[in-house]
Amino acid sequence: MDKLVIQGGVPLNGEIRISGAKNAALPILCAGLLAEQPLRLSAVPHLRDVTTMLELLGHMGMRIAVDERMNVELDAGDIHTPEAPYAMVKTMRASILVLGPLLTRFGHARVSLPGGCAIGSRPVDLHIKGLQAMGAEIHIEHGYIEARADRLKGARIFTDLVTVTGTENLMMAAALADGTTVLENAAREPEVIDLAECLIKMGARIEGAGSDVITIHGVERLYGTEHRVVCDRIEAGTYLVATAMTGGKVRLANARADLLEAVIEKLREAGADVEHDADSIGIQRHGTLKSVNVRTAPHPAFPTDMQAQFMALNTVADGIARVTETIFENRFMHVQEMRRLGADIEVDGHTAIVRGAPHLDGATVMATDLRASASLVLAGLVARGDTMIERIYHIDRGYERIEEKLSALGARIKRVH
Ligand code: EPZ
């Protein structure tokens, strides 16, 4: 298995380009199931999760063309197997996003229940409840969701929790339903907006994406279109934190500050200078790095996908910070590994108390989930000596060419097989 070896202590300087957003690309690839003509996507990130989703869609009969620049053309003209088998779903929970599109377009779907993962049990009950409210007949047997519907009907759906993929699944299902659907307590994440924009270009009638009430007027059919995937705000946030931790001056091209307001606010509070224009963000840190409290919550509040990265920042900042995770029940897997690097972290339920240490010391650590792995890379960038990170397939799921991008900024990092 591949490992990353990092020699810490080098400030990051230079410019890199942010890739398309994983969490926008995944639902938008599934939207290809809804279109009567080809859907042409650009800026699709080259990530394991995207490859897995393309394999899943290919298994169903989707005709897929991918060029060397990761432009993707999807043609759902010959879908013959509306099912997502366990073998594929277990490697990527986002496979659940085929459920709504398959059901509303083909009237039938057989999707394996996604297993839990390192950060939590990750139920999909709200997806199922919403589809049932639209008239779907759904039962669970042998670990599979068996769903049927002649034609879904518009409904008013209030999800108990804000769910990102739940909102996306129900929005896609409603796009071809008979009548109007109103999603209350909808997720406001930028990736939900990007999916809505793509669906609208395909002919869907959607209002309110980005707010907590999304109204979808069902139409008879959806057409092909071209769409460029929005930039990845979490990838961008991760490199901003890396620069704040190591010192130096970095510019991120293809990055949008308006998608990262809560994160940029915290970086400024930690002592970094952040400036931006419409499609790039610059960061520089001089002076001491200060501890910052974070509390995760649905967008536009501080994103849970940036919690581990700020935990890493706080391990070497000046002061004491409280890091509170309100979205997932077990998203502190990185704490044990950071302690191996010398971090001073105490966990009390959903809150971690992080006391800044004068330095971290390199060690061998193990990645456990996507964002926790990224936070170990950040810690390795500032630790004294070498840090070896194992099980980095977790990182490859969500970060395109991380060692190349960090090396381009001067980091001493290499992948060893
Ligand atoms: C999406 O996951 C993202 N994944 C996650 O990013 C992200 O952390 C998460 O949203 C929160 O922002 C994709 O978009 C592919 P949720 P999702 O449904 O949709 C509970 C990454 O690192 N819930 O918004 O699965 C759930 O347990 C990944 O890129 C139910 O109880 O998350 C959680 O506590 C990790 N029942 C909360 O809601 C449901 O039916 C929010 O989960 C659905 C969710």
Side-chain angles (χ1 to χ4, degrees):
M1 287 208 266
D2 286 1
K3 298 179 174 63
L4 285 178
V5 180
I6 303 168
Q7 282 180 300
V10 180
L12 298 182
N13 285 288
E15 174 166 326
I16 53 172
R17 183 172 179 75
I18 297 302
S19 303
K22 166 176 87 80
N23 291 350
L26 294 175
I28 289 171
L29 287 170
C30 297
L33 292 164
L34 298 168
E36 307 244 338
Q37 290 115 9
L39 176 61
R40 293 188 180 81
L41 303 175
S42 58
V44 177
H46 189 188
L47 299 169
R48 280 170 60 99
D49 274 10
V50 169
T51 305
T52 304
M53 183 62 86
L54 289 171
E55 282 165 5
L56 174 59
L57 294 170
H59 163 81
M60 296 176 185
M62 182 80 86
R63 282 195 289 273
I64 299 166
V66 185
D67 73 13
E68 71 291 340
R69 292 165 50 81
M70 281 301 281
N71 295 309
V72 176
E73 179 175 300
L74 300 170
D75 180 350
D78 186 19
I79 296 291
H80 47 68
T81 312
E83 80 156 41
Y86 176 64
M88 292 180 157
V89 174
K90 72 179 177 185
T91 63
M92 185 186 59
R93 322 175 13 70
S95 308
I96 190 68
L97 284 163
V98 303
L99 178 60
L102 287 176
L103 189 55
T104 201
R105 176 85 190 280
F106 304 106
H108 171 221
R110 182 170 187 271
V111 175
S112 166
L113 274 174
C117 71
I119 63 177
S121 60
R122 311 291 295 278
V124 289
D125 56 311
L126 301 176
H127 300 236
I128 291 170
K129 250 174 83 179
L131 292 170
Q132 286 172 325
M134 295 169 78
E137 276 169 52
I138 296 184
H139 57 277
I140 309 238
E141 57 184 23
H142 309 304
Y144 275 79
I145 302 166
E146 296 281 356
R148 286 193 178 286
D150 293 336
R151 186 172 185 197
L152 293 173
K153 293 191 179 17
R156 182 181 167 285
I157 300 166
F158 188 103
T159 51
D160 300 346
L161 290 166
V162 175
T163 161
V164 174
T165 50
T167 300
E168 292 164 347
N169 233 337
L170 296 174
M171 187 161 69
M172 289 191 278
L176 288 178
D178 179 13
T180 295
T181 298
V182 179
L183 301 181
E184 307 252 12
N185 202 22
R188 299 173 55 188
E189 272 68 4
E191 294 74 31
V192 173
I193 300 173
D194 202 41
L195 172 63
E197 286 174 357
C198 182
L199 290 168
I200 289 166
K201 286 194 283 189
M202 291 164 63
R205 293 177 53 212
I206 299 172
E207 296 136 22
S211 79
D212 61 354
V213 180
I214 302 179
T215 302
I216 306 107
H217 305 285
V219 295
E220 291 304 313
R221 59 180 54 79
L222 292 173
Y223 303 94
T225 191
E226 314 242 335
H227 185 74
R228 177 180 181 70
V229 176
V230 71
C231 57
D232 193 319
R233 62 192 167 102
I234 304 301
E235 183 194 17
T238 304
Y239 289 113
L240 291 174
V241 171
T243 310
M245 289 174 69
T246 60
K249 183 174 182 182
V250 165
R251 171 160 296 280
L252 303 180
N254 190 40
R256 281 180 43 191
D258 63 311
L259 308 182
L260 275 167
E261 286 174 355
V263 169
I264 289 172
E265 180 66 32
K266 287 295 173 184
L267 285 165
R268 286 176 173 149
E269 205 182 304
D273 293 333
V274 182
E275 40 81 27
H276 61 85
D277 56 26
D279 62 358
S280 74
I281 305 174
I283 185 166
Q284 184 170 5
R285 199 259 296 166
H286 30 249
T288 54
L289 191 63
K290 300 190 221 43
S291 299
V292 284
N293 296 332
V294 298
R295 178 186 179 83
T296 67
H299 193 79
F302 187 89
T304 173
D305 290 350
M306 285 299 302
Q307 177 257 107
Q309 296 88 322
F310 270 79
M311 179 93 70
L313 181 148
N314 279 316
T315 63
V316 290
D318 185 15
I320 300 176
R322 296 173 62 83
V323 176
T324 303
E325 171 59 53
T326 73
I327 305 287
F328 291 111
E329 64 266 31
N330 187 31
R331 204 169 196 177
F332 282 153
M333 304 284 280
H334 38 286
V335 169
Q336 288 296 354
E337 299 304 310
M338 286 184 188
R339 283 187 182 133
R340 291 179 46 72
L341 299 170
D344 179 351
I345 307 172
E346 270 170 60
V347 174
D348 173 14
H350 289 273
T351 295
I353 308 292
V354 189
R355 289 176 175 75
H359 56 77
L360 296 179
D361 287 308
T364 297
V365 290
M366 188 174 73
T368 51
D369 61 270
L370 169 54
R371 306 302 172 182
S373 326
S375 67
L376 295 175
V377 172
L378 301 184
L381 290 172
V382 298
R384 292 190 306 190
D386 286 3
T387 295
M388 167 97 80
I389 303 175
E390 302 182 336
R391 301 195 181 178
I392 59 167
Y393 57 86
H394 289 292
I395 297 179
D396 294 334
R397 297 188 55 172
Y399 290 89
E400 193 173 20
R401 306 191 323 275
I402 191 165
E403 71 273 17
E404 288 174 32
K405 293 192 180 184
L406 284 172
S407 299
L409 297 176
R412 288 193 297 251
I413 178 172
K414 64 178 185 303
R415 181 181 293 249
V416 298
H417 302 289

